[in-house]
Amino acid sequence: GAGEGKISLASIPVDVKEVVAAEVQGIRFSGAGGRVVEVDFAVPTRVVVEANRNANRGGRGGGQGGRNGGAGRGSGAARPPSSYSVYFPMGKGTLTREAPFHANFTLKATCELDQAPVKLTLDGARTGAAFAGIGGNFRIQSNSDAASIAYNLENLRVAWGRVEMPLSLWQTSETADASAAPLADKVRQSMEMARTLAEKKIPMVISDWSAPRWAVAASRGGGPGGGNGSNARSIAEGQWPAMYRGIISYLQFLKQHYGAEPVLFSFNEADQGIDVKLTPEEERRVTRELGAALVAAGLKTRILLGDTGNPSSRPANFIEPTLADAEAMKYVGAVSYHSWTGGSDQSLAKWGEVARRFQIPLLVAEGGTDPASFRYRSVFLEPWYALDEANLYLRCMQFSQPTSILHWQLTDNYSVLAGGRGQPLKPTQRFFNLKQMNLTPPESPSLGIAADRPGMTAAAYGDAAHGYAIHILNTGATRQVTVEGLPASLRQLFPTTTDGVRAMKSSPAIDVANGEAALTVDFQSFVTLTSVKP
């Protein structure tokens, strides 16, 4: 228009989706910390601004299409926007492949740089679980997976693995003897993957993403259904004993014919119904009944409690009935959440408290930020995406103190490698972030660590017997960092840096004096300080 208009986004009612729809010469967003984003057009252009209430920045929730085929996790209720989308045309009229078109606009983003020094304080008295190392999911989904799996197992120390139990393809009827029938391709591939991990002495979780059709409860509409996810299936009350038999026969066949015996079993994200839906009470009962059946069958596999779609308070409540049942907890081998929504510091810490209370390992059985990122694979090569992912993993390590974070995935799906599909495979920034986290001494306890300013995430591990590792991730500008509370016995620390241009680059040692060390941490970089030179 001819004039300039201002709109306070905070004043927009929560039920309004289209915030702006007008022809303008430019549009400008301003926020706290001097953050400004501007788009200027060469000619007046129609712009539409929409509020995103069910979308999530940086993978903090969202749909499940690339992982499980689901449709999303938002509810229909109006809620404050999590972000805004700006739409304007790149071309108008009938556009064809042969006819070129163009749009002329300028995008500018500015903010106030926070370059104030940061102090990290180590608390050696607040110790927790050791970090065995980065793990990975190995759910076979395409013919491209084999090359990625081989590369990652060869070049990355994998502490834990997770494989699929395609139960619906194994147990095709309630009474069929699955072990007597030819194996479906997906069953065979999944069992071969388990054997590969077993041969490498990698402990593994086996999870079920499917419900046999004969076992599914009828929905209110009369057909199979139930649960919240698009593939969600509730199990009919009387079919659980047969389901237990199918799970046990799969594990027995896997052990006998493929030499693999998973440490843990779970129904994937059963709190959300992807694809088997359990209520909190059903989670308790299944843990108790299936756990007892596994013991009676002479199997070492135990129940992975939770395995929820995210770590927020509602999934944490999902496991509470089981936690209150001492008989059920006898069969729990570990507790787990998936990191897809990021979660608050308090939510992450709550899971660690459960693990400490019951003295069981905590696994982040699916590590990742954005479940919808598969829709645009090039995003996996973006430095900001790699930084966001590493930042979330360090927050999990700091507040939850997991035994392992099992990255989704170490296959071609959400790959940490570039190339493939006929091109040579090569590691990306995300691959080196994972490898750098493995600089953590596997038997060193986690230590408390806190920053006195925002924009800096840290996780620390160490003791005199096994060595030290301090992970520091800077999401902001270059700044000076002082680490305090280091053991008096430390004399030097060795920095290793990964960012958009460096891949685990070693730097000269920094001195430690009187329990303090000082260094410069570059903008948007991931630095690990180790007591032993890598």
Side-chain angles (χ1 to χ4, degrees):
E4 179 176 315
K6 294 184 178 181
I7 298 175
S8 171
L9 294 176
S11 69
I12 304 297
V14 295
D15 58 347
V16 173
K17 179 175 177 62
E18 191 172 84
V19 178
V20 173
E23 189 172 84
V24 298
Q25 191 71 52
I27 189 166
R28 181 175 187 265
F29 294 87
S30 60
R35 295 179 176 88
V36 177
V37 177
E38 299 176 83
V39 185
D40 294 314
F41 302 101
V43 296
T45 299
R46 179 171 174 78
V47 171
V48 175
V49 179
E50 291 187 352
N52 304 322
R53 290 182 174 81
N54 293 328
N56 299 273
R57 175 200 171 275
R60 304 304 187 242
Q64 293 296 303
R67 296 165 47 247
N68 306 311
R73 295 178 169 177
S75 70
R79 65 184 66 183
S82 56
S83 61
Y84 294 86
S85 294
V86 180
Y87 300 94
F88 55 88
M90 300 294 289
K92 297 181 179 180
T94 302
L95 306 178
T96 65
R97 184 176 299 176
E98 294 78 17
F101 61 92
H102 71 278
N104 191 352
F105 63 93
T106 302
L107 175 65
K108 181 181 179 181
T110 57
C111 69
E112 297 173 0
L113 291 181
D114 182 1
Q115 296 177 299
V118 175
K119 179 173 68 176
L120 297 174
T121 303
L122 203 66
D123 183 357
R126 187 164 64 87
T127 60
F131 185 69
I134 285 291
N137 279 265
F138 296 92
R139 187 186 182 200
I140 308 300
Q141 292 182 292
S142 79
N143 293 330
S144 302
D145 288 339
S148 296
I149 290 168
Y151 185 98
N152 286 319
L153 289 177
E154 178 67 26
N155 295 282
L156 184 67
R157 178 175 62 83
V158 178
W160 273 81
R162 184 166 177 250
V163 298
E164 181 176 7
M165 176 187 287
L167 189 61
S168 62
L169 297 176
W170 169 261
Q171 195 178 15
T172 55
S173 72
E174 182 179 355
T175 58
D177 180 4
S179 62
L183 297 182
D185 287 344
K186 189 173 182 64
V187 172
R188 176 183 51 78
Q189 291 168 353
S190 298
M191 289 192 172
E192 288 174 349
M193 186 67 248
R195 178 173 60 192
T196 297
L197 296 181
E199 290 173 346
K200 293 182 175 294
K201 311 297 184 188
I202 298 173
M204 76 187 84
V205 178
I206 190 165
S207 298
D208 176 41
W209 274 262
S210 62
R213 291 190 63 84
W214 55 265
V216 173
S219 67
R220 291 182 180 179
N228 296 322
S230 65
N231 296 329
R233 300 289 185 268
S234 295
I235 304 302
E237 181 66 28
Q239 299 293 11
W240 276 112
M243 284 276 286
Y244 299 154
R245 289 195 299 271
I247 292 167
I248 289 170
S249 68
Y250 188 103
L251 293 171
Q252 289 173 328
F253 189 93
L254 180 64
K255 179 180 179 180
Q256 180 179 353
H257 296 278
Y258 288 84
E261 188 169 13
V263 178
L264 301 161
F265 169 84
S266 72
F267 288 107
N268 175 72
E269 299 184 357
D271 62 311
Q272 298 179 357
I274 304 174
D275 290 334
V276 173
K277 172 69 176 177
L278 298 177
T279 66
E281 172 56 26
E282 286 174 329
E283 168 83 341
R284 181 200 67 80
R285 195 184 73 197
V286 169
T287 298
R288 186 168 180 162
E289 294 174 351
L290 178 56
L294 291 168
V295 171
L299 292 166
K300 295 179 181 178
T301 306
R302 295 296 175 262
I303 303 298
L304 179 61
L305 179 62
D307 211 24
T308 59
N310 61 65
S312 67
S313 57
R314 184 175 178 181
N317 295 339
F318 174 70
I319 65 175
E320 287 180 355
T322 307
L323 297 179
D325 185 338
E327 183 66 21
M329 288 302 297
K330 286 167 42 178
Y331 305 113
V332 171
V335 63
S336 165
Y337 67 83
H338 300 176
S339 70
W340 293 107
T341 61
S344 67
D345 296 349
Q346 293 76 17
S347 293
L348 296 177
K350 184 173 182 178
W351 290 90
E353 291 165 4
V354 169
R356 287 190 295 274
R357 174 184 166 193
F358 289 94
Q359 297 185 328
I360 54 177
L362 168 68
L363 298 175
V364 181
E366 285 186 19
T369 56
D370 186 356
S373 56
F374 76 100
R375 300 182 187 279
Y376 180 60
R377 286 178 62 98
S378 294
V379 76
F380 297 134
L381 305 179
E382 294 283 354
W384 69 263
Y385 187 95
L387 194 77
D388 193 43
E389 187 175 75
N391 187 53
L392 175 55
Y393 288 7
L394 290 192
R395 290 185 59 243
C396 292
M397 293 164 73
Q398 179 185 10
F399 295 108
S400 295
Q401 300 173 337
T403 297
S404 182
I405 299 173
L406 282 64
H407 179 77
W408 186 274
Q409 291 205 70
L410 295 183
T411 67
D412 183 63
N413 184 235
Y414 295 70
S415 181
V416 295
L417 306 174
R421 293 171 168 80
Q423 299 297 318
L425 292 171
K426 57 182 180 180
T428 67
Q429 182 179 350
R430 295 168 64 230
F431 174 92
F432 285 111
N433 282 341
L434 300 183
K435 192 161 187 171
Q436 187 166 313
M437 290 175 195
N438 271 352
L439 294 179
T440 307
E443 296 179 344
S444 291
S446 59
L447 306 173
I449 190 167
D452 68 343
R453 294 188 61 81
M456 196 74 65
T457 301
Y461 295 82
D463 61 15
H466 304 101
Y468 291 83
I470 302 167
H471 302 291
I472 305 169
L473 191 136
N474 182 11
T475 60
T478 299
R479 57 184 65 193
Q480 292 297 118
V481 175
T482 301
V483 184
E484 299 182 350
L486 294 166
S489 59
L490 278 182
R491 294 291 179 262
Q492 286 185 318
L493 289 170
F494 300 89
T496 301
T497 302
T498 294
D499 56 20
V501 295
R502 290 172 288 187
M504 293 187 70
K505 175 70 174 178
S506 296
S507 299
I510 59 174
D511 293 330
V512 180
N514 300 319
E516 292 189 12
L519 70 155
T520 300
V521 178
D522 291 332
F523 76 100
Q524 297 190 342
S525 65
F526 172 31
V527 178
T528 298
L529 305 175
T530 54
S531 57
V532 177
K533 188 173 183 179

